[in-house]
């Protein structure tokens, strides 16, 4: 709050702050009233220019340029919004939602040359010849009670108003009570006044864009608003600025502004905006936020009937489909994820909705550098997202500041958005690859939104309709075909798993050769389902059977093993277990914990009941393929007698590399290193980082070999002869050497860093 009365606003000179704005639009600071050039520009209620004012006022926007569509970008700012400050000055008085947030943004605008700082004479020349060179001033004002109560309950307005009459002691006590948990709110003696101006600034910004006074605009306002509910302030928010502005624009300009898109890219879900418009068919609310299974702020509502930021919440009644939640599974999202969300979800739905106005609830706490958000969106990405949104609604875009708490990150991000609004092309940027989990999130969002948006339907199936037609999921059909082929070729039979949970899950998934109990050599293959490849129709995205293929690299190994007298146990580990009545059009694979629990029980069951009890088997070989090779690890660390019965282990890896270590058997890692071949795909991430490469060469990851091939089936084809030789040598007893495992100390050093599995892929 230092030097509050002399804060620089728009013109780069020191002025004392008056009671409020006394002028209309212009390039100079309207809170001062000191410049003789700051007179009204004669804009009528419908945004047109009055001829008499055009002749009298040299600072009015030239009508000849307005007709040509050469409108400037607007900017709304008022020092008085800095007066909202924390009354509870404890040992750490600085709060993330600090008054300096808006000041830093404005100073950054000024330093970048977006704000006029010249003389009065220069101002006249600029307006007449280059009116789009600088941001055009939109004066802030206090919102009225009637305006705020278009979205808030009157009792809520009165609660905020009462803050202005409280003593400092009462305000500090209230802040201490509220600034924790889901409320997460602080108050001060000027909170009410600042909140009115923040809401009024949003109103005037949006109205100026709708009326055509400016082509687009940026409202640098605080306190933020998108968490404030109909009757409750929360999350640093008092009044919900954007919904108030949206409702006023619809009421004041019914012919110009009927449908509004609110795009919220704050890292936190805008629960307040969602709930205010959840059943409104004319407000499309799209939120990109960290959801983290409902644990990330604002978390779960107190009322369990109130929707949260989950992907499945798509609106209600006439507003079905008008609520789009893109809730990331975790923090750490960056340019790749946000650009993919815009390209796959945001822009297709937005174009189909075809809004009359776009309002961006622009929180910058997903920006790289903001510790609260812990995401990595760059200023360039914010520029590109803004640029895409400018293709909607004839370019009528109003940006209203929400969160963002790192001063440098918020200033750079806001600058990138403002420069894009003013017509500068977004910078060239390298878009990183999207993470696998984020891609699953977008696929699920598409599936949830498909019933309501034509653009979301390609590639999404109506599961309930298919089930009514006695359809089956393809992975069940493929396994049935595998079973039939292996039964015809080798007489293999399904193994009944006598476990309550596993019985249904692995029905037909475990196949064995006849007389497995009498085999001298046994090969146990634990593998992912066959790979599916398809070329969709370019017009309707359908897949014809003749344009789809199933690739199964395991079959040749089964054929070879049986031809050499091996008994074979073939374990197919599906990515998802079909449940009766499931209706999800897109289902991600099982999470690591669920997969590990199921596969551990399965592998131990097979070992205890078929392998350990086999007195005839001299040599048992284990093969793991894909994610399912987790089963090899779980068997080795849970059954200590495996080492004495298993002659060799082969794994093919294109995902997570998994260490094998046992506290109960200190020699297990060394044994695994000496008796395994672990083929890792050539494009695996571990080869790109020397530190990771060094780590995976430790003994607990086995005898790791970099394959020249990528993908499971190409790797299995590439190393078919090598694996045959490996098995043949060890079956004859010729290949049991001491190996070259590292020393005990070196292996232990790695173990402390990869406890529970090394997620490299």
């Amino acid at each position: 709050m230092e030097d509050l009365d002399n804060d620089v606003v728009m013109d780069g000179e020191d002025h004392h702050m008056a009671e409020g704005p006394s002028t209309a639009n212009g390039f100079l600071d309207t809170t001062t009233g000191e410049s003789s050039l700051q007179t009204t520009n004669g804009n009528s209620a419908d945004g047109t220019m009055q001829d008499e004012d055009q002749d009298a006022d040299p600072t009015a926007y030239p009508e000849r340029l307005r007709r040509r569509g050469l409108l400037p970008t607007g900017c709304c700012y008022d020092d008085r919004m800095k007066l909202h400050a924390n009354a509870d000055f404890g040992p750490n008085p600085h709060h993330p939602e600090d008054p300096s947030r808006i000041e830093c943004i404005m100073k950054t605008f000024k330093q970048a040359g977006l704000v006029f700082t010249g003389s009065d004479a220069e101002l006249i020349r600029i307006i007449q010849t280059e009116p789009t060179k600088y941001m055009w001033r939109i004066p802030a004002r206090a919102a009225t009670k009637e305006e705020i109560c278009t979205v808030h309950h009157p009792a809520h307005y009165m609660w905020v108003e009462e803050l202005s009459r409280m003593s400092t002691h009462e305000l500090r006590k209230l802040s201490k009570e509220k600034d924790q948990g889901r409320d997460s709110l602080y108050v001060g003696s000027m909170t009410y006044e600042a909140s009115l101006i923040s809401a009024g600034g949003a109103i005037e910004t949006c109205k100026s864009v709708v009326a055509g006074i400016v082509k687009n605009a940026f409202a640098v306002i605080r306190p933020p608003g998108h968490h404030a509910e109909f009757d409750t302030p929360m999350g640093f928010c008092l009044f919900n600025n954007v919904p108030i502005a949206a409702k006023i624009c619809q009421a004041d300009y019914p012919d110009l502004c009927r449908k509004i898109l609110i795009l919220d890219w704050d890292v936190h879900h805008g629960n307040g905006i969602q709930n205010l418009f959840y059943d409104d068919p004319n407000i499309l609310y799209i939120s990109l936020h960290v959801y983290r299974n409902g644990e990330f702020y604002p978390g779960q509502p107190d009322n369990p009937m109130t929707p949260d930021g989950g992907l499945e919440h798509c609106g209600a009644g006439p507003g079905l489909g008008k609520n789009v939640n893109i809730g990331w599974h975790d923090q750490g999202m960056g340019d790749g994820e946000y650009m993919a969300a815009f390209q796959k979800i945001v822009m297709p739905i937005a174009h189909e909705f075809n809004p009359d106005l776009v309002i961006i609830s622009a929180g910058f706490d997903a920006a790289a550098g903001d510790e609260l958000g812990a995401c990595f969106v760059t200023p360039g990405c914010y520029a590109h997202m803004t640029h895409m949104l400018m293709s909607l609604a004839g370019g009528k875009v109003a940006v209203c500041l929400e969160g963002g708490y790192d001063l440098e990150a918020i200033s750079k991000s806001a600058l990138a958005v403002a420069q894009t609004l003013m017509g500068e092309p977004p910078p060239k940027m390298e878009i990183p690859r999207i993470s696998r989990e984020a891609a699953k999130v977008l696929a699920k969002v598409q599936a949830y939104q498909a019933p309501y948006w034509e653009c979301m339907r390609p590639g999404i199936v109506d599961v309930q309709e298919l089930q009514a037609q006695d359809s089956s999921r393809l992975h069940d059909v493929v396994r049935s075909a595998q079973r039939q082929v292996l039964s015809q070729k080798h007489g293999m039979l399904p193994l009944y798993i006598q476990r309550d949970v596993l019985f249904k899950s692995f029905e037909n998934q475990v196949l064995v050769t006849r007389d497995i109990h009498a085999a001298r050599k046994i090969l146990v293959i634990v593998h992912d389902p066959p790979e599916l490849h398809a070329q969709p129709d370019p017009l309707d995205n359908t897949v014809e059977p003749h344009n789809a293929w199933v690739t199964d690299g395991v079959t040749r190994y089964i054929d070879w093993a049986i031809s050499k007298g091996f008994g074979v146990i073939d374990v197919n580990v599906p990515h998802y277990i079909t449940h009766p009545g499931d209706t999800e059009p897109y289902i991600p694979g099982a999470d690591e914990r669920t997969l590990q629990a199921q596969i551990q029980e399965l592998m131990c069951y097979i070992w205890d009941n078929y392998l350990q009890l086999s007195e005839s088997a001299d040599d048992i070989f284990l093969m793991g393929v894909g994610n399912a090779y987790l089963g090899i690890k779980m068997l080795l660390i849970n059954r200590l007698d495996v080492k004495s019965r298993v002659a060799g282990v082969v794994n093919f890896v294109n995902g997570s590399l998994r260490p094998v270590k046992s506290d109960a058997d200190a020699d297990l890692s060394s044994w695994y290193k000496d008796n395994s071949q672990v083929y890792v795909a050539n494009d695996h991430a571990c080869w790109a980082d020397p530190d990771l490469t060094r780590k995976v060469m430790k003994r607990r990851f086995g005898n790791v070999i970099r394959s020249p091939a990528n993908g499971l089936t190409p790797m299995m084809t590439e190393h078919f002869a090598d694996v045959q030789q490996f098995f043949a040598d060890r079956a004859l007893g010729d290949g049991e050497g001491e190996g070259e495992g590292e020393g005990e100390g070196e292996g232990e050093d790695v173990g402390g860093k990869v406890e529970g599995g090394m997620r490299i892929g």
Side-chain angles (χ1 to χ4, degrees):
M1 298 297 291
E2 183 180 358
D3 294 334
L4 175 64
D5 291 338
N6 293 322
D7 184 67
V8 175
V9 185
M10 293 296 285
D11 62 353
E13 299 180 9
D14 291 340
H15 295 295
H16 290 283
M17 188 177 67
E19 290 299 318
S22 58
T23 62
N25 299 327
F27 291 126
L28 299 182
D29 175 13
T30 58
T31 65
T32 68
E34 290 192 7
S35 173
S36 62
L37 293 178
Q38 286 187 258
T39 56
T40 60
N41 67 355
N43 291 311
S44 62
D46 62 358
T48 61
M49 188 72 67
Q50 298 175 7
D51 292 338
E52 59 272 26
D53 287 342
Q54 174 67 35
D55 296 333
D57 184 7
T59 64
Y61 197 87
E63 180 68 13
R64 57 186 175 81
L65 297 180
R66 182 180 301 280
R67 292 196 183 102
R68 293 167 55 193
L70 298 179
L71 293 174
T73 291
C75 180
C76 184
Y77 175 83
D78 195 302
D79 261 346
R80 291 172 296 171
M81 289 181 286
K82 291 167 57 181
L83 296 175
H84 167 57
N86 193 354
D88 182 25
F89 292 107
N92 299 303
H94 293 290
H95 192 280
E97 209 289 281
D98 189 270
S100 60
R101 294 170 61 242
I102 58 174
E103 178 184 16
C104 287
I105 291 175
M106 288 307 301
K107 286 184 176 179
T108 300
F109 285 1
K110 194 184 309 314
Q111 291 166 359
L114 276 57
V115 174
F116 179 75
T117 58
S119 65
D120 289 352
E122 180 70 6
L123 172 61
I124 295 176
R125 186 192 67 80
I126 290 293
I127 290 179
Q128 295 298 319
T129 60
E130 300 177 280
T132 61
K133 185 176 182 179
Y134 299 105
M135 302 180 86
W136 187 264
R137 181 68 190 194
I138 299 174
R141 63 167 175 86
T144 66
K145 179 179 179 180
E146 290 71 23
E147 289 172 329
I148 289 174
C149 289
T150 56
V151 301
H152 287 294
H153 192 282
H156 173 65
Y157 176 89
M158 293 172 63
W159 185 91
V160 180
E161 183 183 33
E162 181 63 25
L163 298 174
S164 64
R165 293 187 285 270
M166 287 186 178
S167 67
T168 301
H169 174 74
E170 291 173 321
L171 291 168
R172 288 182 176 179
K173 182 180 178 182
L174 183 59
S175 287
K176 190 173 182 179
E177 293 173 356
K178 289 288 187 179
D179 197 12
Q180 55 186 319
R182 198 164 188 262
D183 284 343
S184 192
L185 184 76
Y186 75 80
V187 294
S189 60
M190 297 295 287
T191 292
Y192 169 64
E193 290 78 359
S195 299
L196 291 180
I197 297 170
S198 184
I203 293 171
E204 290 304 307
T205 298
C206 294
K207 288 179 65 175
S208 295
V209 173
V210 173
I213 297 170
V214 292
K215 64 177 179 180
N216 50 45
F218 197 130
V220 186
I221 55 177
R222 68 174 290 274
H226 73 148
H227 291 310
E229 297 279 6
F230 166 68
D231 56 356
T232 307
M234 60 175 285
F236 309 164
C237 304
L238 281 301
F239 297 136
N240 210 324
N241 306 317
V242 166
I244 294 170
K247 295 297 286 186
I248 296 302
C249 285
Q250 287 179 321
D252 289 359
Y253 303 97
D255 296 331
L256 297 176
C257 187
R258 184 173 66 89
K259 297 192 300 180
I260 299 176
L261 163 63
I262 300 175
L263 188 284
D264 188 343
W265 65 40
D266 190 286
V267 79
H268 304 97
H269 178 243
N271 54 288
I273 302 179
Q274 169 177 284
N275 295 332
L276 287 168
F277 295 129
Y278 203 61
D279 59 356
D280 192 323
N282 293 317
I283 302 287
L284 169 60
Y285 178 62
I286 304 179
S287 176
L288 296 96
H289 56 273
V290 174
Y291 182 60
R292 206 164 64 194
N293 199 31
E295 298 174 356
F296 198 71
Y297 190 86
Q300 300 296 322
D302 297 331
N303 183 349
M305 300 301 293
T306 302
D308 66 356
L311 316 185
E312 70 276 15
H313 298 303
C314 303
L320 265 175
K322 301 305 189 299
N323 196 85
V324 181
N325 282 328
I326 305 174
W328 302 120
H329 61 288
D330 206 348
Q331 294 169 279
M333 301 298 102
D335 292 357
E337 288 76 23
Y338 275 73
M339 290 296 286
F342 260 69
Q343 293 168 352
K344 296 177 180 294
I345 307 294
V346 174
M347 295 311 297
I349 290 179
H351 277 292
E352 187 172 332
F353 180 65
N354 192 24
D356 302 312
L357 172 67
V358 175
I359 307 177
I360 304 176
S361 276
F364 293 108
D365 39 8
D370 192 301
E371 295 183 1
L372 195 63
C375 288
F376 302 98
V377 181
T378 65
C381 184
Y382 282 116
H384 278 274
M385 293 190 293
T386 303
H387 192 256
M388 284 187 272
L389 293 171
M390 289 167 63
S391 67
L392 303 165
K396 292 185 176 182
V397 177
V399 180
C400 295
L401 183 65
E402 296 284 0
Y405 308 103
D406 180 89
L407 298 183
E408 181 178 1
I410 192 175
S411 299
K412 290 182 177 179
S413 301
L415 175 62
V417 170
Q419 289 172 327
T420 304
L421 292 174
M422 294 182 73
E424 294 187 26
K428 181 179 179 181
M429 62 180 293
E430 296 290 335
I431 302 178
R433 291 180 60 182
I434 184 173
S435 70
R436 186 185 300 271
E437 291 302 315
K440 292 178 181 178
V441 169
L442 297 182
K444 293 202 73 172
V445 173
Q446 181 185 356
Y448 280 122
Q449 296 296 332
Y452 316 112
W453 301 101
E454 187 70 32
C455 60
M456 293 290 101
R457 290 174 193 159
I460 300 297
V461 299
D462 188 332
V463 177
Q464 291 179 316
E465 181 179 345
L466 291 176
Q467 288 178 338
Q469 300 168 2
D470 295 326
S471 301
S472 300
R473 289 193 182 268
L474 184 58
H475 76 150
D476 293 329
V477 176
V478 169
R479 188 54 178 172
S480 296
Q482 281 183 310
R483 173 188 171 185
Q484 183 176 359
V485 169
L486 293 175
S487 175
Q488 292 176 347
K489 289 176 66 175
H490 306 300
M492 297 182 72
L493 303 170
L495 190 68
Y496 182 78
I497 307 298
Q498 293 181 324
R499 291 289 185 273
D500 292 340
V501 176
L502 295 181
F503 159 64
K504 188 62 181 176
S505 297
F506 286 93
E507 185 179 20
N508 292 328
Q509 305 298 339
V510 182
L511 305 177
V512 298
T513 51
R514 296 178 185 274
D515 301 324
I516 187 72
H517 61 280
R520 300 290 300 275
K521 297 176 293 185
I522 296 177
L523 173 61
V524 182
I525 306 179
V526 187
H527 60 87
D528 288 352
E531 297 172 323
L532 304 179
H533 307 274
Q535 183 64 55
D537 185 279
L539 296 179
D540 59 13
N541 212 37
T542 57
V543 176
E544 297 291 343
H546 62 275
N547 289 325
W549 293 263
V550 177
T551 305
D552 187 1
V554 172
T555 305
R556 67 170 63 204
Y557 285 83
I558 295 176
D559 294 343
W560 170 82
I562 291 177
S563 72
K564 297 299 181 181
F566 282 76
V568 175
I569 299 180
D570 176 71
V571 183
N572 182 75
V573 180
H575 295 154
Y576 169 76
I577 308 302
T578 299
H579 298 289
D582 65 38
T583 59
E584 295 288 344
Y586 175 81
I587 301 174
D591 61 86
E592 181 84 1
R593 182 177 300 178
T594 302
L595 177 64
Q596 179 170 302
Q598 285 199 337
I599 202 169
Q600 175 180 323
E601 186 176 2
L602 174 66
M603 295 302 296
C604 290
Y605 175 85
I606 293 173
W607 179 265
D608 295 342
N609 292 277
Y610 296 95
L611 297 175
Q612 183 186 44
L613 300 178
S614 174
E615 298 181 355
S616 59
D618 297 323
D619 297 302
I620 298 174
F621 294 90
L622 305 177
M623 177 184 290
V625 181
N627 275 336
Y629 108 92
L630 173 64
I632 305 298
K633 169 186 173 176
M634 300 314 298
L635 177 61
L636 291 176
I637 66 178
N638 284 281
R639 291 296 183 265
L640 299 181
D641 59 338
V642 168
K643 291 193 304 181
S644 63
R645 303 293 305 277
V646 171
V649 179
V650 172
N651 291 316
F652 293 95
V653 183
N654 66 343
S656 300
L657 268 164
R658 307 179 189 279
V660 173
K661 172 197 172 187
S662 172
D663 294 334
D665 185 355
D667 297 327
L668 179 60
S669 295
S670 296
W671 177 90
Y672 182 51
K673 178 79 171 183
D674 297 341
N675 294 277
S676 67
Q677 301 273 65
V678 181
Y679 297 101
V680 179
N682 188 58
D683 61 355
H684 196 283
C686 72
W687 307 122
D689 186 329
D691 289 336
L692 290 181
T693 302
R694 177 180 57 82
K695 288 179 181 179
V696 301
M697 292 304 175
K698 304 286 186 178
R699 58 185 179 180
R700 67 187 57 203
F701 291 100
N703 182 27
V704 175
I705 301 169
R706 183 172 186 173
S707 173
N710 296 319
L712 292 175
T713 300
M715 277 199 294
M716 298 183 76
T717 302
E718 174 72 25
H719 301 289
F720 183 50
D722 298 335
V723 174
Q724 290 181 60
Q725 190 62 49
F726 177 77
F727 286 168
D729 290 346
R730 288 178 172 267
L732 295 173
D734 296 337
E736 297 183 12
E738 291 297 319
E740 297 181 2
E742 291 90 327
E744 190 71 18
E746 188 173 6
E748 288 302 319
D749 179 63
V750 179
K753 299 179 182 178
V754 292
E755 189 74 358
M758 185 172 181
R759 303 295 299 183
I760 295 177

